[in-house]
Structures are given as C-alpha cells and as structure tokens.
Amino acid sequence: PVLARARAAGQRLRQALREALVGNPLLDEVRGEGLLLGIALHQPEHPWLSFEHWGLPKLAARATIAPILAYRLYKHGFFTFACGHDWRVLRVQPRLDVDDATLDRFVKAVAHELAHIAEWVS
C-alpha cells in the first residue's frame, strides 16, 4: 500500500507542478517516477545569478537556478536540492507517506518562488 500510495502521489504531484508552472519561462520540464522528481529549470543569463557574481569563480560553470530555488523553498519548510550532476534540476524527494496537504503547499510554494525569481530576470 505504501508504494502504491507513493506512485499515485507522485503522479498527482507531477501533474500539479506542471499545471502550476505552465507559462513560467524558467521551467523546462517536470520529470520523474513516484515521489522522486526533478524540476528541470532554465538557467537565465543574468549577472546577479552567477557564482562569479557571488565571488565563487571556481563554480562559474555551474548553474545557480536550482540552488537558489532550493534555498527559497527551505524558508517555506521544504528540503529540496540541486541534482549533483546538473544544478539546473531541482531534486524533489519527499517521504513516501507525505500527505496531500503538504504536497499542495509545496506546489504553491514552488509556483510562488519560481514566479518571483522569474521577475528578477525579466
């Protein structure tokens, strides 16, 4: 029952994220299976959104978009991370028993924060 619930919750979460983020210029795609998801983002060309701007030239080749979104989601109580191999992808991996209300709050937080970031670069 736990795995079936996780599969169904993941499908619901993917669909809710796609619907909530439609039209956001920073979204490339929402992908994954079950509750292991990736939100692939577009790294904007903006001087403030670079590691060089922050004084970290050794990380200049890395995207900042997923770490920035992860930081902003943390303030809402959500732990997400940039994928180790591609920092344009936000890794989402909630507990298998996560409730629907928490997933709904997460979707709203992602939509709000990604819209806010998109305003910075428009």
Side-chain angles (χ1 to χ4, degrees):
V2 172
L3 292 180
R5 162 76 174 97
R7 190 175 305 114
Q11 185 176 20
R12 181 179 172 277
L13 178 57
R14 279 190 313 279
Q15 186 61 34
L17 284 167
R18 288 176 182 139
E19 290 173 6
L21 300 176
V22 68
N24 187 303
L26 299 178
L27 177 69
D28 283 339
E29 71 174 320
V30 178
R31 60 186 179 221
E33 288 296 324
L35 285 171
L36 179 57
L37 304 179
I39 302 173
L41 303 165
H42 171 71
Q43 175 65 44
E45 295 294 325
H46 194 285
W48 295 350
L49 298 178
S50 72
F51 282 111
E52 286 179 311
H53 175 76
W54 295 341
L56 300 167
K58 290 183 180 181
L59 296 175
R62 293 287 196 163
T64 59
I65 191 68
I68 289 170
L69 182 56
Y71 171 76
R72 295 188 66 84
L73 291 172
Y74 176 76
K75 295 189 296 182
H76 291 269
F78 296 108
F79 297 99
T80 58
F81 306 92
C83 281
H85 69 285
D86 187 349
W87 288 7
R88 292 173 299 147
V89 178
L90 185 76
R91 182 171 49 111
V92 179
Q93 191 174 358
R95 294 169 41 128
L96 295 178
D97 62 351
V98 64
D99 60 82
D100 288 342
T102 300
L103 293 177
D104 292 342
R105 282 189 319 105
F106 176 75
V107 169
K108 287 179 184 174
V110 171
H112 172 78
E113 294 301 341
L114 201 56
H116 184 75
I117 296 168
E119 288 178 8
W120 296 347
V121 296
S122 61

